[in-house]
Amino acid sequence: MAPNSIEVMWGPGLIGFIIATVLYGISFGQYMFYLRSFPQDSKRLKLFIMIVFLFETIHQFALMAVYWSILISCRRSTSLECTTKIPWQMLVGLYMSYSVIFFVQCFYAYRVWTITGNNHWVTGIICVLATTSFVCGMIVSGLGVYTRSPEALFSTKWSPIGSFISALCDSVITVSIWLFMRPARTGNVRRKSRNYINDIMWVFINMGLFSCIVAISVTVLYMFQDGLIGQFYTAAPGAVVGKSYVNSMMTVLNARKSIREREQRGYNLTELPTIPTIR
């Protein structure tokens, strides 16, 4: 990387890395909270959560290695590897990030399947969008492996296309949860369980909007950057997007604890459209 352009090239990415590190710390705390609060969850779900968190941990270490290489190891180096090629750790991080996003969207697809009463159309649309976004991500990762060029990687249109489709998928998830969990549909307008349905519904909506906004920012920043001259603005949200999905999923899972505590106080939650304990 040319010394006179390293601030312009990787400054946004470094800011994203700092934010991503904070979000990783939050997700680690959420994961520990989940393990302590829900020991009765099925082994299959626990294995799924563990794999997602493992992938996110690998992504975090890959980010650390990337910026160590760029900002420290290659800071004053003029070798061909340092000046023209991206670190191989970035390719690992890309694959991990796109995989995490796909896994979390599959998790939400299953939750929508449960909430909507096995609605094939809604769940099918979510699965198609999630798969399409993942394929775009794999194309971006493959392009990175093939070229090892940061300019080619950050100027490809597959990245904003995949992010836009991912945001669209999140929007479908959020809207479908709102439609099927609103009190007028569930018949809980005057019942005690209405408050708890609203609580879990807004957790879904807020977390869905959070990951959706981060995904949209990749598309928006792509329009203002010029990857061919070393403006890598999308590196900032790119470092954060996977963390936003993990935190979103863990927040939804951990929100069940408050519902369980209210159940222990004697409230009637039998009319909730979702099961507090996932089996």
Side-chain angles (χ1 to χ4, degrees), residues 2-71:
N4 60 352
S5 64
I6 191 168
E7 292 83 3
V8 176
M9 293 171 68
W10 297 110
L14 180 61
I15 295 173
F17 166 65
I18 294 172
I19 298 174
T21 302
V22 174
L23 290 177
Y24 176 77
I26 295 174
S27 65
F28 180 81
Q30 291 211 73
Y31 181 60
M32 293 297 103
F33 180 85
Y34 168 78
L35 292 179
R36 295 180 60 182
S37 301
F38 302 100
Q40 75 286 350
D41 277 356
S42 68
K43 293 181 180 179
R44 184 169 51 185
L45 176 64
K46 290 179 181 178
L47 177 62
F48 174 79
I49 300 301
M50 184 183 71
I51 292 174
V52 172
F53 188 74
L54 175 63
F55 273 43
E56 193 54 41
T57 299
I58 296 173
H59 176 256
Q60 179 62 26
F61 278 98
L63 282 177
M64 294 169 62
V66 165
Y67 287 99
W68 174 272
S69 175
I70 293 172
L71 301 178

Side-chain angles (χ1 to χ4, degrees), residues 154-176:
F154 286 98
S155 63
T156 177
K157 295 183 178 180
W158 288 107
S159 179
I161 290 174
S163 297
F164 176 78
I165 295 174
S166 181
L168 185 60
C169 179
D170 296 336
S171 300
V172 174
I173 292 170
T174 303
V175 171
S176 62

Side-chain angles (χ1 to χ4, degrees), residues 140-254:
V140 174
S141 301
L143 182 64
V145 172
Y146 179 73
T147 64
R148 293 286 305 275
S149 167
E151 290 78 13
L153 186 64
F154 286 98
S155 63
T156 177
K157 295 183 178 180
W158 288 107
S159 179
I161 290 174
S163 297
F164 176 78
I165 295 174
S166 181
L168 185 60
C169 179
D170 296 336
S171 300
V172 174
I173 292 170
T174 303
V175 171
S176 62
I177 288 174
W178 177 79
L179 286 175
F180 282 87
M181 292 188 70
R182 71 190 193 279
R185 183 180 181 90
T186 58
N188 289 311
V189 177
R190 293 186 177 89
R191 298 173 185 174
K192 290 181 179 180
S193 57
R194 174 188 177 185
N195 291 335
Y196 313 124
I197 292 176
N198 283 339
D199 288 347
I200 196 68
M201 179 183 72
W202 283 110
V203 169
F204 269 106
I205 291 174
N206 290 333
M207 291 299 98
L209 287 175
F210 174 53
S211 55
C212 180
I213 290 171
V214 176
I216 288 176
S217 66
V218 176
T219 305
V220 173
L221 288 176
Y222 177 84
M223 298 190 220
F224 293 96
Q225 76 172 10
D226 188 347
L228 294 177
I229 64 172
Q231 295 178 347
F232 303 152
Y233 298 154
T234 54
V240 174
V241 64
K243 306 291 187 298
S244 69
Y245 278 88
V246 172
N247 276 287
S248 170
M249 180 182 68
M250 296 309 304
T251 301
V252 168
L253 285 169
N254 291 334

Side-chain angles (χ1 to χ4, degrees), residues 59 62-63 66 86 88-101 134 137-138 140-145 153-154 159 238:
H59 176 256
L63 282 177
V66 165
I86 56 176
W88 63 267
Q89 295 93 335
M90 179 173 288
L91 305 177
V92 175
L94 279 173
Y95 178 77
M96 294 293 118
S97 180
Y98 285 118
S99 298
V100 164
I101 294 171
F134 180 69
M138 292 301 97
V140 174
S141 301
L143 182 64
V145 172
L153 186 64
F154 286 98
S159 179

